[in-house]
Structures are given as C-alpha cells and as structure tokens.
Amino acid sequence: MKSRQPWVVGVSGASGTPYAAAVLRGLLAAGESVDLVVSRASRLTLLDETGISFRDAHWREDLAAWLARGADGKPDTFDVSDALDDVRYWAAGDLAAGPSSGSYPAKGMLVVPASTAAVAGVALGLSKDLLQRTASVTLKERRPLVVAVRETPLNGQTLKHMVALDEAGAVVLPASPAFYAGATHIQDLVDFVAGRVLDAAGVPHRLYRRWEGELGGATPRSD
Ligand SMILES: Cc1cc2nc3c(=O)[nH]c(=O)nc-3n(C[C@H](O)[C@H](O)[C@H](O)COP(=O)(O)O)c2cc1C
C-alpha cells in the first residue's frame, strides 16, 4: 500500500483566508493529501472574512463550510463531500503532532497566508506553535517551503526575515495577484495567487490562465 505523504498547509493570521481555501481546494482537486494547521490568530481573520468560527472539535464541518465558500461570498463549485477524507487536522497548540517531527513523511509545507509574525517566527526559528515548528522542520529537512506573505507596506525587519527565509531555501511568495490573466472576479485574483503557490510546490492545477507571450491574449472570461 502506498504510504500517505501529505502537504502541510499552515494558515496564519494575515488577511487572505480565501487564498488558503483556494490552495486547499487545488491540492485536494489534484489528489494530494493535506495536513492542516490553523493558527489561533487566523481564526480571527477567518471569522472576519467569512463569518466562520473555526473550532478544533468541529474542524471538519467548519472546513467544509470554508471550502464551499468563494471569495466573492458566493458558493464555490468545489465538491467537498469526499475531498475532506484526504485531510488530517492538527491543533496549532499540539507540539506533539505528527508534522512537528522531521521523521513525519510530509512532502513539504505551504504557509498561506503568512503573517509577518509567522515570517519572523520561521526566519528566527522560534517554533512558538505547530505552524512555526513545522515550517522550521520543513527547512531543516530540505523540503519545499512556500511562504505566501500578506502585508503592505513592509518594514525593514520583515524584509530581512524574508531574505533569511529565501537564503534558508524557502520560496517567499507575496500574495500579489496579477491582472494579465483576464480576471473579472475577485475569485480570479485569489486563484492566481493560489495557482502560483501550487506552481512553487509543483502541483498541477488550472487555477489561472498562463501567459502565452501575446499582449491582449488574456480576454476576460464570459461567465
Ligand atoms: C482582521 C485582521 C487582519 C490582519 N491582517 C494581517 C495581515 O494582512 N498581515 C499580517 O502580517 N498580520 C495581520 N494581522 C495580524 C496578525 O493576525 C497578528 O500579527 C498575529 O499575531 C499573527 O499570528 P500568527 O502568525 O500566529 O497567526 C491581522 C489581524 C487581524 C485581526
């Protein structure tokens, strides 16, 4: 039997919970297994941005509600029914959780969105919660780590932390949507960033239209 080898997705308390939902949907649609860590602070942004109160004890139903919601507030077409079977949830305070050890068979980690606090914590190796510990483990094991920073403007400290992460082998990926892919909805902009996160992880997807070398080639979608 093939052993389970998940991507760890760490959701920290920066604005941008729709980015996390889009990455999670993309991973599950690609047939990837997911281990999910939701920081304490991200529950505030999730509540603010979606109205969902995320609870450890009811993570499955709260995650289902989150993934079923598009960034425009409309239902997403993603079918969550069976997809959540490939998700394993770990409480952010559980420092004995599987992903806290380098011997846990994770493929790598995607921190999306990444707060400046998470960027600092990972750059400095603080491991103050499971998200930061898992990111440090990912670096020490030389596995892919993608950090989708969401803050603007950036102070010098955060810029230095981002350089430290880059030098440690992480992909620092600002949550910075582009407009050349023909976006007409907020979800298109979200999917562009989520698609770039999946590109950095080498996970196939069809979340955005790729640049094909022609100016004006990205005509808006008709729906
Ligand atoms: C509504 C709301 C929006 C926030 N947006 C951001 C943000 O975009 N970027 C950021 O770095 N921090 C943001 N924060 C602050 C972080 O949540 C805070 O620094 C927290 O300590 C991050 O902790 P974590 O990295 O453990 O999740 C926001 C906080 C709230 C309540």
Side-chain angles (χ1 to χ4, degrees), residues 3-168:
S3 65
R4 184 176 181 274
Q5 221 197 343
W7 284 100
V8 181
V9 175
V11 184
S12 70
S15 177
T17 54
Y19 295 128
V23 165
L24 287 164
R25 287 192 294 259
L27 287 170
L28 296 172
E32 299 285 341
S33 303
V34 170
D35 276 27
L36 178 65
V37 182
V38 176
S39 83
R40 285 187 60 186
S42 72
R43 287 148 212 261
L44 296 177
T45 47
L46 187 65
L47 180 63
D48 188 54
E49 293 174 354
T50 68
I52 295 166
S53 298
F54 199 91
R55 301 157 296 174
D56 285 343
H58 299 277
W59 68 268
R60 211 182 153 87
E61 63 188 90
D62 295 339
L63 179 60
W66 182 12
L67 297 192
R69 191 179 185 286
D72 303 279
K74 299 187 205 108
D76 193 273
T77 51
F78 183 73
D79 179 9
V80 285
S81 47
D82 294 331
L84 294 196
D85 292 344
D86 275 340
V87 180
R88 195 164 180 190
Y89 177 77
W90 302 97
D94 182 4
L95 287 161
S100 68
S101 168
S103 67
Y104 189 75
K107 272 189 186 163
M109 182 176 190
L110 314 175
V111 183
V112 52
S115 69
T116 55
V119 167
V122 180
L124 299 173
L126 298 183
S127 295
K128 68 125 188 159
D129 63 9
L130 180 61
L131 187 153
Q132 292 187 13
R133 167 67 186 162
T134 306
S136 293
V137 165
T138 306
L139 288 176
K140 89 178 170 70
E141 297 297 327
R142 306 287 193 266
R143 294 177 186 147
L145 173 66
V146 183
V147 181
V149 190
R150 207 320 306 175
E151 186 54 281
T152 197
L154 294 166
N155 66 30
Q157 257 181 331
T158 301
L159 291 168
K160 284 178 192 155
H161 293 146
M162 287 163 62
V163 170
L165 287 181
D166 177 74
E167 287 174 353

